[in-house]
Amino acid sequence: MKRKNNFKRIVASIFFYIGAFSLLTMACATEPQIKVQHLGNEQSMIQIPNPKKYILLPIEDSMGDSKITVIVDNQEVQTLFVRLAREKVDYVVPLDVSMYQDKGVALNISSIEDSALCWREIKMTDSFDITNRETDYRPLFHFSPNYGWMNDPNGMVYKEGEYHLFYQYNPYGSTWGNMHWGHAVTRDLINWEQLPVAIAPDILGAIFSGSAVVDFNNSAGFGKDAIIAFYTSAGERQTQSIAYSLDNGRTFSKYSMNPVLTADIPDFRDPKVFWHEETNRWIMIIASGQVMDIFSSKNLKEWTFESSFGEGQGVHDGVWECPDLIKLPIEGTNKSKWVLICNINPGGPFGGSATQYFVGDFDGKVFTNDSPKEVKWMDYGRDHYATVTWSNAPDNRHIAIAWMSNWDYANVVPTNQFRNAMSVTRDLRLFEKEGAIYLKSTPSPELLALRSESRQLDSFDVNMDYNIDALLDNNQGSFEIEVEFENNDAEIIGFRLFNELGEEVNCFYSLIDNEFSMSRSKSGKIDFSDKFASVTTTPLVNKDSLSLRIIVDKASIELFGNEGEFAMTNTVFPNKPYNRINFYTKGGTYSVSSFIIYKLAK
Ligand code: FRU
């Protein structure tokens, strides 16, 4: 009996010590480990003699920025602006200090009260969890960063089977700021490999948008086939800098004599560089206030001003940004034309950001617009911006990608682990209609590989309403619809894509006005910004044929009409995937001559 009791006591104390030990280790693991000293005047100092790899910074998106200066060995090594949490933590971001682990690190933090919540929440860790938390709105095949903010696509260049996508990136929050070039590559335009940040801010400024080329003839002297990136150093003024990579974009070195191009105006940015075969030199087109300036160079370092394009042409209700200049074939002919792509914000046809373009000629010095009076938009949606094309793309392809958002609300869309995605890649060419030349953009053929199970319907007439109650089994919100209409005498051919909650995207052709429209005013979450609910409308170039290809990926709808003669891209935030469709008509009847829906899967 006694022995039994003793045994019980021993077992109990073993459990007690194990329990106490694990509580202690848990306490140590969750202990802040970080000593904060408040210095008054909303300034604080953190000193960490033995940091782990990352310092986790707690973020509250609606707060103002605090400035963090990272100090190593009494020297400032990095400055960042972070919306540190005052009252609640929306999410955390990692500050990588692994390179200072042997020296220790101090953070000098200003513009934040001593009572803020962040002081209890700043932690250290050796790993950062990037598991996706945005299950509703994380796209399946569109590129989005694992975490943090993204805007413009940058530096797209193809080399040795890889399409590089760099992008405007904030690793320290899901709102705009601390601009870096993030980096991803794809071999098939649908699977993206996320790579470490490529270019980080420096004393010349943040790293704004730009382009990259493969220096096939070693013009710059950094090495044959170096990838050379051109970006705007956004400091007090905007200047142009270069960085080069000798390892296929995995690491970049900044040129020691940056900047390579300056100007005396405040808005001077987003250099796009390309090789001009006919004159045997490099050309840079750059946004300069409300015009695009063109420069030329033999060595990619010294640039000569050639001309300026844009005064009195196109829309000028905002700043001109992110230019591109490309030569495209005209379908069905052996002719080609130059297209100048001009992103503008604000001033888009439905407010905020959009991409206009001009068709004309370029002789290596001057771009001349064929139709100075006409305004042409590349995409008639709200969420298609900063569009530029890949350099060095194979098979003479011209592949574009756009930022699928709008400065009107990009900072407040209802996600928080990451904010904003890119469009699908689109192949560009031109087509001629009644003497005018327009851009045609169609999803890159690689996207067809996403199509999995499909459902096809026999043709049917629409006299009143025609409903399809369940489009796909187990619809996860990534699908594609191809539909063709034949009009009889309808004035409106319409359809609503909707979910079981009644949230809908309403699309309609007006045969009276020759327009196609999409309304997302009841599409789901809309009230995060009073600018989000909207109806977008495109004029129809070709009035005789009505066919649509609609690509939906969780939080976006990209619609291509008549084989890409018009495009319309709008983001949506439904609370459930749209899985029903209602066709309706006004003023007469029409038929749906073909309808097929594909589940999209990787
Ligand atoms: C366009 C833009 C560019 C600039 C970048 C900054 O969206 O304003 O002109 O380089 O974003 O992030």
Side-chain angles (χ1 to χ4, degrees):
M1 187 67 169
K2 206 172 171 194
R3 271 177 65 191
K4 224 180 185 177
N5 271 347
N6 264 348
F7 179 72
K8 264 192 185 162
R9 228 177 288 136
I10 290 167
V11 171
S13 42
I14 288 173
F15 275 111
F16 174 80
Y17 284 117
I18 290 176
F21 180 73
S22 39
L23 272 178
L24 199 72
T25 45
M26 265 165 61
C28 289
T30 54
E31 212 183 284
Q33 306 149 316
I34 280 177
K35 193 169 138 216
V36 182
Q37 299 170 80
H38 298 300
L39 311 179
N41 199 23
E42 300 203 331
Q43 189 162 338
S44 301
M45 172 74 84
I46 293 178
Q47 287 162 303
I48 316 172
N50 301 303
K52 294 190 176 179
K53 284 190 182 150
Y54 304 104
I55 300 177
L56 291 182
L57 302 170
I59 307 296
E60 187 175 354
D61 266 344
S62 57
M63 291 295 137
D65 274 332
S66 304
K67 180 178 174 188
I68 303 185
T69 309
V70 184
I71 301 166
V72 176
D73 252 350
N74 303 287
Q75 300 291 328
E76 171 177 334
V77 294
Q78 190 184 351
T79 303
L80 51 149
F81 295 87
V82 179
R83 298 180 173 206
L84 284 175
R86 264 66 164 190
E87 280 159 19
K88 70 173 181 25
V89 179
D90 291 329
Y91 53 91
V92 296
V93 290
L95 171 63
D96 183 354
V97 291
S98 55
M99 52 296 210
Y100 314 126
Q101 275 184 303
D102 52 339
K103 293 195 165 160
V105 63
L107 305 183
N108 194 359
I109 306 180
S110 56
S111 306
I112 180 146
E113 320 79 63
D114 303 355
S115 59
L117 173 66
C118 64
W119 306 123
R120 276 171 281 141
E121 296 293 330
I122 295 177
K123 306 243 163 75
M124 281 195 289
T125 168
D126 277 324
S127 62
F128 178 65
D129 184 7
I130 52 164
T131 312
N132 178 38
R133 287 185 280 112
E134 300 287 356
T135 43
D136 294 344
Y137 303 130
R138 171 77 70 178
L140 178 71
F141 52 89
H142 289 78
F143 178 74
S144 64
N146 283 333
Y147 69 94
W149 161 272
M150 177 174 76
N151 58 293
D152 314 356
N154 294 154
M156 290 113 71
V157 65
Y158 175 85
K159 192 177 177 216
E160 293 171 26
E162 290 182 326
Y163 292 87
H164 293 265
L165 169 67
F166 301 90
Y167 54 89
Q168 288 288 282
Y169 182 49
N170 183 5
Y172 304 120
S174 300
T175 51
W176 186 86
N178 305 301
M179 281 299 114
H180 291 59
W181 272 26
H183 188 196
V185 291
T186 178
R187 289 179 169 269
D188 58 9
L189 301 177
I190 47 183
N191 290 291
W192 300 91
E193 182 192 349
Q194 311 239 6
L195 293 171
V197 159
I199 310 180
D202 55 39
I203 193 72
L204 295 175
I207 313 297
F208 274 18
S209 290
S211 56
V213 298
V214 174
D215 187 4
F216 65 95
N217 56 4
N218 198 14
S219 309
F222 298 128
K224 184 171 155 35
D225 292 333
I227 292 183
I228 306 198
F230 302 82
Y231 58 89
T232 300
S233 290
E236 273 169 42
R237 306 294 282 182
Q238 300 184 345
T239 60
Q240 314 317 315
S241 294
I242 61 184
Y244 59 94
S245 170
L246 304 176
D247 57 0
N248 284 346
R250 279 10 185 220
T251 57
F252 276 87
S253 306
K254 287 174 182 153
Y255 175 46
S256 57
M257 293 310 287
N258 280 334
V260 295
L261 184 63
T262 63
D264 57 4
I265 51 166
D267 290 309
F268 184 58
R269 58 175 179 266
D270 310 339
K272 169 78 193 209
V273 174
F274 63 93
W275 176 252
H276 188 248
E277 198 70 56
E278 296 82 342
T279 55
N280 225 12
R281 18 178 232 175
W282 297 96
I283 300 294
M284 177 192 287
I285 179 163
I286 183 164
S288 174
Q290 289 209 1
V291 295
M292 299 302 187
D293 283 348
I294 294 172
F295 292 81
S296 66
S297 173
K298 283 273 177 206
N299 64 8
L300 294 167
K301 293 171 179 160
E302 293 149 308
W303 293 92
T304 310
F305 177 77
E306 296 289 353
S307 66
S308 214
F309 169 80
E311 228 183 285
Q313 319 235 2
V315 175
H316 281 271
D317 298 337
V319 184
W320 283 20
E321 300 182 315
C322 302
D324 203 347
L325 187 54
I326 46 176
K327 194 178 178 183
L328 290 178
I330 307 174
E331 237 179 28
T333 74
N334 50 13
K335 291 184 287 180
S336 41
K337 276 278 175 190
W338 284 84
V339 175
L340 192 151
I341 295 175
C342 167
N343 292 280
I344 177 171
N345 177 66
F350 313 103
S353 328
T355 310
Q356 62 178 329
Y357 67 93
F358 307 95
V359 180
D361 293 306
F362 177 61
D363 62 3
K365 288 171 175 288
V366 176
F367 174 80
T368 21
N369 180 7
D370 280 356
S371 43
K373 296 245 166 336
E374 222 177 323
V375 173
K376 294 173 177 166
W377 298 101
M378 196 162 158
D379 185 293
Y380 281 84
R382 289 276 272 151
D383 298 293
H384 179 274
Y385 193 56
T387 319
V388 277
T389 59
W390 254 273
S391 176
N392 202 36
D395 309 322
N396 291 323
R397 286 172 72 178
H398 293 277
I399 308 173
I401 197 167
W403 177 48
M404 215 164 32
S405 195
N406 190 312
W407 284 113
D408 270 357
Y409 42 73
N411 274 286
V412 293
V413 294
T415 57
N416 78 16
Q417 185 178 25
F418 78 100
R419 267 205 192 92
N420 304 309
M422 295 300 177
S423 70
V424 292
T425 60
R426 303 169 183 197
D427 280 43
L428 303 182
R429 56 195 161 271
L430 295 168
F431 71 102
E432 208 165 348
K433 187 82 192 172
E434 287 155 17
I437 298 174
Y438 302 92
L439 256 186
K440 188 174 241 198
S441 57
T442 42
S444 299
E446 284 84 347
L447 269 105
L448 296 174
L450 293 164
R451 289 178 174 178
S452 69
E453 60 193 75
S454 65
R455 179 168 170 210
Q456 186 157 12
L457 302 182
D458 292 337
S459 64
F460 54 89
D461 294 330
V462 182
N463 309 313
M464 294 176 53
D465 277 357
Y466 188 100
N467 292 311
I468 304 169
D469 283 343
L471 289 172
L472 288 171
D473 294 341
N474 188 22
N475 186 342
Q476 299 291 310
S478 300
F479 57 89
E480 179 180 340
I481 293 174
E482 279 188 315
V483 55
E484 280 176 35
F485 302 95
E486 268 169 31
N487 194 23
N488 182 12
D489 53 0
E491 292 173 358
I492 299 275
I493 292 180
F495 62 94
R496 294 187 189 86
L497 196 55
F498 66 109
N499 64 16
E500 68 216 61
L501 306 171
E503 297 165 346
E504 65 171 40
V505 173
N506 185 7
C507 298
F508 46 97
Y509 283 103
S510 163
L511 283 307
I512 307 276
D513 301 325
N514 282 317
E515 285 176 348
F516 174 87
S517 304
M518 186 195 299
S519 166
R520 64 172 177 197
S521 299
K522 296 186 204 154
S523 56
K525 295 193 180 86
I526 54 164
D527 53 8
F528 51 87
S529 159
D530 56 13
K531 291 191 172 160
F532 187 76
S534 34
V535 182
T536 55
T537 299
T538 171
L540 297 181
V541 179
N542 187 346
K543 293 139 201 162
D544 314 321
S545 133
L546 303 173
S547 72
L548 292 177
R549 185 166 167 200
I550 308 168
I551 296 181
V552 181
D553 191 9
K554 306 272 184 157
S556 62
I557 300 192
E558 287 162 284
L559 189 146
F560 301 88
N562 297 345
E563 310 281 316
E565 284 181 2
F566 69 87
M568 190 176 277
T569 302
N570 285 313
T571 51
V572 286
F573 297 93
N575 288 298
K576 287 264 159 74
Y578 307 120
N579 199 30
R580 302 174 184 201
I581 201 164
N582 158 257
F583 290 92
Y584 64 93
T585 172
K586 280 187 194 151
T589 62
Y590 65 91
S591 69
V592 173
S593 47
S594 134
F595 181 95
I596 181 156
I597 177 165
Y598 301 90
K599 184 175 273 187
L600 299 181
K602 288 211 286 198

